[in-house]
Amino acid sequence: MYKTEKICNTVHGEIYYWTVCAEEERPWLVFLPGLTADHRLFEKQLEGLGDQFNCLVWDAPAHGKSRPFDLGFSLDHMAKYLHKILRREGILRPVLIGQSLGGYISQAYMDLFPGEAAGFISIDSCSLHRRYYTDIELWLLKHTKWMYLSIPWKWLKRLGTTGNAETEYGRKIMKDMWKEYNKKEFCALSTHGFRILAEAVEKERAYQITCPVLLLCGEKDSAGSGKRYIKNWMKTEHYPFVWVPDAGHNSNTDAPEFVNNQIREFVLALPSKRG
C-alpha cells in the first residue's frame, strides 16, 4: 500500500489530503475525521482496507497539516472544499465515511450535491435535522468558548484522550493528534466547530440522504447527547444500525477490525455502478 500526500489550495488556506489507489475501477472510500482529529484517526482503516478499495482521507480545514487556515468557513464550505478535491481526483461516486464532525460534513455534502454519494457510513455522528435538537442544546453548542478556556490545558488534553477512546491505541492516537495544537488554537477550533454545527442544524434544510446508509456507534460513546441523537435518528429513519463493542466515541480506533469488517460488508453490498 502506497499513500500519496497532496495539497488543495483554497482562498482560505491549504488542505492536505492523502490517497491510496488499489485499482482504478475499485470503489472509493472517503474518510472524514472528527473535530480536532486529523488523518491519523483512520490509519487502521487505510491499513486494513487500502489493498481492497481506493481510499482518500484528509486533514479538514484548520486541522492537522491543513493549518494555518482562516476560521471563517461553515459546514457548507467544508463540503464544497471536499467536492473540489474529489472532482480533482476524478472521484464521482464516493462512499463517504465520517466520524463525528466528518458525518456532519458528509450530510452537508449530500445535501449540496445530491445523488453523488454511492453510500454513507456514519461513525459516532448524528443527524443534521433540526427535530433532534432542543433549543438549549443548540444554544450551548454556540457558546462553548468560555467553558473550554476555563479548563486547564493539561486537564483538557487528559479529558480528550480518556473521553474519546477506550483503548490504549485509541488514546495514544488522540494524544498524538492533540500535540499539534496549543490551548488557544485548540479552543478556537473546537468552539468554531460546534458553532458551525449548530448553525447548519438551524438552517432546517432537508438534508435528504438518498444513498444506502449505515450508522455505527461505540457502546461506550459518552460524547454529549450523541447516543440519544443516534438512537432517535435510527428509529425515525429506520437506518441500519450497529453498536461497536467496547468502543468509545472514536470507535474506529477502539475496534478497528470490527469497524473495517462493517465497512467492507457495506461497500461490497452496494450497487455495482462506480465512478
Side-chain angles (χ1 to χ4, degrees), residues 130-263:
R130 175 65 178 84
R131 62 177 171 269
Y132 296 111
Y133 301 81
T134 65
D135 291 342
I136 187 62
E137 285 170 335
L138 291 176
W139 186 89
L140 288 170
L141 283 171
K142 291 188 291 184
H143 296 84
T144 58
K145 180 179 179 179
W146 297 113
M147 177 192 72
Y148 275 105
L149 288 174
S150 69
I151 302 173
W153 184 220
K154 184 177 180 179
W155 294 2
L156 197 57
K157 288 187 287 186
R158 185 179 300 130
L159 286 171
T161 56
T162 59
N164 285 296
E166 296 292 318
T167 63
E168 182 178 347
Y169 168 76
R171 291 176 177 179
K172 182 182 184 303
I173 284 291
M174 203 66 190
K175 184 178 180 180
D176 289 345
M177 291 187 294
W178 280 22
K179 284 180 180 178
E180 302 291 326
Y181 308 102
N182 58 42
K183 183 181 179 182
K184 180 179 179 181
E185 184 182 22
F186 173 86
C187 291
L189 176 58
S190 297
T191 55
H192 180 72
F194 286 122
R195 185 173 65 253
I196 64 174
L197 166 59
E199 291 170 351
V201 170
E202 289 175 333
K203 290 180 179 179
E204 299 193 47
R205 299 211 305 252
Y207 295 115
Q208 186 176 8
I209 303 174
T210 58
C211 63
V213 176
L214 174 62
L215 308 182
L216 301 176
C217 181
E219 284 183 335
K220 298 181 180 180
D221 188 345
S222 59
S225 302
K227 276 189 174 180
R228 173 171 60 81
Y229 294 146
I230 296 169
K231 286 179 181 178
N232 291 339
W233 193 17
M234 177 265 293
K235 291 177 181 177
T236 302
E237 304 294 340
H238 307 290
Y239 290 141
F241 175 83
V242 177
W243 288 111
V244 181
D246 300 317
H249 186 59
N250 296 354
S251 60
N252 61 293
T253 66
D254 284 340
E257 290 186 12
F258 183 90
V259 170
N260 288 356
N261 285 334
Q262 293 294 321
I263 293 172

Side-chain angles (χ1 to χ4, degrees), residues 12-227:
H12 297 109
E14 294 180 335
I15 300 176
Y16 280 74
Y17 66 99
W18 293 260
T19 59
V20 175
C21 189
E23 289 183 14
E24 186 175 344
E25 296 303 317
R26 289 184 177 179
W28 274 94
L29 312 185
V30 176
F31 294 99
L32 305 170
L35 184 61
T36 71
D38 60 38
H39 67 282
R40 288 172 285 182
L41 187 79
F42 285 112
E43 67 177 16
K44 292 296 184 182
Q45 280 61 59
L46 266 64
E47 289 175 6
L49 299 168
D51 290 335
Q52 188 173 4
F53 305 104
N54 298 322
C55 300
L56 183 147
V57 62
W58 74 352
D59 279 358
H63 292 68
K65 293 190 72 172
S66 300
R67 300 166 23 248
F69 205 96
D70 178 23
L71 290 180
F73 59 86
S74 66
L75 207 62
D76 280 356
H77 284 124
M78 298 176 90
K80 291 174 182 177
Y81 296 146
L82 178 62
H83 187 259
K84 179 180 179 179
I85 290 171
L86 298 186
R87 287 288 175 173
R88 175 183 179 183
E89 295 295 325
I91 303 171
L92 305 179
R93 294 281 292 165
V95 177
L96 302 177
I97 304 173
Q99 190 273 339
S100 197
L101 177 64
Y104 300 122
I105 297 170
S106 300
Q107 293 172 69
Y109 183 100
M110 290 182 286
D111 185 73
L112 293 172
F113 308 104
E116 291 198 6
F120 168 48
I121 300 177
S122 168
I123 302 177
D124 305 300
S125 190
C126 310
S127 174
L128 282 177
H129 287 129
R130 175 65 178 84
R131 62 177 171 269
Y132 296 111
Y133 301 81
T134 65
D135 291 342
I136 187 62
E137 285 170 335
L138 291 176
W139 186 89
L140 288 170
L141 283 171
K142 291 188 291 184
H143 296 84
T144 58
K145 180 179 179 179
W146 297 113
M147 177 192 72
Y148 275 105
L149 288 174
S150 69
I151 302 173
W153 184 220
K154 184 177 180 179
W155 294 2
L156 197 57
K157 288 187 287 186
R158 185 179 300 130
L159 286 171
T161 56
T162 59
N164 285 296
E166 296 292 318
T167 63
E168 182 178 347
Y169 168 76
R171 291 176 177 179
K172 182 182 184 303
I173 284 291
M174 203 66 190
K175 184 178 180 180
D176 289 345
M177 291 187 294
W178 280 22
K179 284 180 180 178
E180 302 291 326
Y181 308 102
N182 58 42
K183 183 181 179 182
K184 180 179 179 181
E185 184 182 22
F186 173 86
C187 291
L189 176 58
S190 297
T191 55
H192 180 72
F194 286 122
R195 185 173 65 253
I196 64 174
L197 166 59
E199 291 170 351
V201 170
E202 289 175 333
K203 290 180 179 179
E204 299 193 47
R205 299 211 305 252
Y207 295 115
Q208 186 176 8
I209 303 174
T210 58
C211 63
V213 176
L214 174 62
L215 308 182
L216 301 176
C217 181
E219 284 183 335
K220 298 181 180 180
D221 188 345
S222 59
S225 302
K227 276 189 174 180

